[in-house]
Amino acid sequence: MTVEASASDTSGAATVNRSSSKQEGPGGLWDSVKKAAFVIGSGIFFLAAFGNSLTWHLQRFWGASGDFWQNLWTKLYLAFEGHDAALFFLGTMLIPTLVFWGSNALLLLVDTTGKPSFITRYRIQVDKNNPVDPVKLRHAVRVVVFNYVCISGPMVVAAYYLMTWTGNPCGPELPTFHWALMELAVFAISEELLFYYSHRLFHHPGLYKHFHKQHHEWTAPIGVISIYAHPLEHVISNMLPVVVGPVILGSHLATTSLWYCVALVSTTISHCGYHLPFLPSPEFHDFHHLKFNQCFGVFGVLDRLHGTDTKFKQTKQYERHILLTGLTPLTESIPDSPKKGQ
């Protein structure tokens, strides 16, 4: 009798779960797709607005012509004439390097000193990295430098030679504005697909303990550890999702360099540990570092499709996974629920 009742309860629960899944799945997936489209669209809109604003200031105050960017590229192209590989390597390594280490230098200042204090108010895991362990940090930085110089560098060179098969990455003409925006959207989608599945693959028990466990030594991440990983993981899960898009499309150096900068800033924000005003929410990936088996993707579309965000959606972190448009930290406006017994 008890067994039958238990079986009946279990069957009923399963029916309810399937029913709610059917009810929530499509809407939830569509909601996630819309959020991803909003993020990609907002990023492209920001880049477009920034480029237009910069161009206007150059023309208005510095007397630049309407073809400022093309003229600038032409001068650079002629200076490196006959040395396209060197130009490509310089453009895809120097500028992204300045962007990555420049942004992380500011974050490391906060992580190591706790100053300025108004930024630490936005820390996601309030009791962690306050300040960061200097020994652990030094080891992480050494690994990051190795990955950046000894792995990313050669892969960028290899990408150049592959791109020459499908286009002219250092051609004399810059891509049109609309074509560049379309390429950025394609890059973002391809990164989501490749990163989600490769990342989830590295969470397979047989691979995790040998490779991905290194990255998860940081349960409370900081910006610079975004590329703190085993070399094999850095090749497959960090670099390939980013370089594949430009290689397939045979993109111009200008678009490729811009995309590398966007990807590095994006992963730095995802790992930074601070939910800062007017920046994309890092709650999604921060939760992945905290719980390990949730939130594998970039935008969350494939996580919603495969159900790898179900626990995340039941947390305060999910409620805080929004664009902060005020100055009040979300840990204060959406505080954690009181623990039982308090």
Side-chain angles (χ1 to χ4, degrees), residues 4 16 18 25 43 58 107 138 142 186 215 249 287 316:
E4 291 176 358
V16 171
R18 284 195 298 270
L58 288 167
L107 290 169
R138 283 195 294 270
R142 285 196 295 268
V186 172
H215 185 68
L249 295 181
F287 188 80
K316 288 291 182 179

Side-chain angles (χ1 to χ4, degrees), residues 151-152 155 159 162 187 190-191 194-195 198 202 232-248 259-260:
I151 297 178
S152 296
M155 285 191 70
L162 290 173
F187 299 163
S190 63
E191 183 195 25
L194 293 171
F195 180 74
S198 64
F202 275 108
L232 181 64
E233 181 190 350
H234 185 60
V235 170
I236 295 175
S237 200
N238 289 345
M239 288 297 297
L240 280 181
V242 174
V243 303
V244 160
V247 167
I248 291 175
W259 166 240
Y260 287 176

Side-chain angles (χ1 to χ4, degrees), residues 59-237:
Q59 293 174 1
R60 176 70 175 81
F61 297 105
W62 294 349
S65 70
D67 296 323
F68 172 79
W69 296 113
Q70 179 60 56
N71 292 337
L72 188 65
W73 169 252
T74 299
K75 292 178 182 178
L76 191 62
Y77 175 78
L78 293 174
F80 280 84
E81 191 171 12
H83 302 282
D84 286 3
L87 176 59
F88 184 88
F89 185 75
L90 184 67
T92 52
M93 287 302 290
L94 178 61
I95 298 174
T97 296
L98 294 175
V99 169
F100 178 76
W101 287 106
S103 57
N104 274 287
L106 296 174
L107 290 169
L108 285 172
L109 177 66
V110 182
D111 292 329
T112 55
T113 66
K115 298 176 181 178
S117 58
F118 75 85
I119 292 182
T120 61
R121 295 175 57 226
Y122 297 98
R123 186 178 280 120
I124 296 173
Q125 298 185 43
V126 295
D127 57 339
K128 303 291 179 63
N129 296 326
N130 192 20
V132 68
D133 182 346
V135 176
K136 190 177 179 182
L137 175 61
R138 283 195 294 270
H139 171 68
V141 169
R142 285 196 295 268
V143 172
V144 167
V145 171
F146 174 82
N147 284 343
Y148 202 93
V149 175
C150 299
I151 297 178
S152 296
M155 285 191 70
V156 167
V157 173
Y160 166 75
Y161 288 105
L162 290 173
M163 290 167 74
T164 57
W165 294 353
T166 53
N168 185 3
C170 294
E173 297 292 329
L174 289 176
T176 64
F177 179 74
H178 295 92
W179 176 254
L181 294 185
M182 186 281 291
E183 285 188 307
L184 290 173
V186 172
F187 299 163
I189 294 169
S190 63
E191 183 195 25
E192 169 74 5
L193 288 166
L194 293 171
F195 180 74
Y196 177 87
Y197 291 111
S198 64
H199 185 194
R200 195 167 175 185
L201 176 65
F202 275 108
H203 273 266
H204 184 280
L207 297 176
Y208 178 84
K209 62 182 179 180
H210 297 295
F211 304 107
H212 194 48
K213 185 178 180 180
Q214 179 176 348
H215 185 68
H216 275 282
E217 291 170 5
W218 292 79
T219 55
I222 61 174
V224 76
I225 69 105
S226 54
I227 55 175
Y228 172 71
H230 186 280
L232 181 64
E233 181 190 350
H234 185 60
V235 170
I236 295 175
S237 200

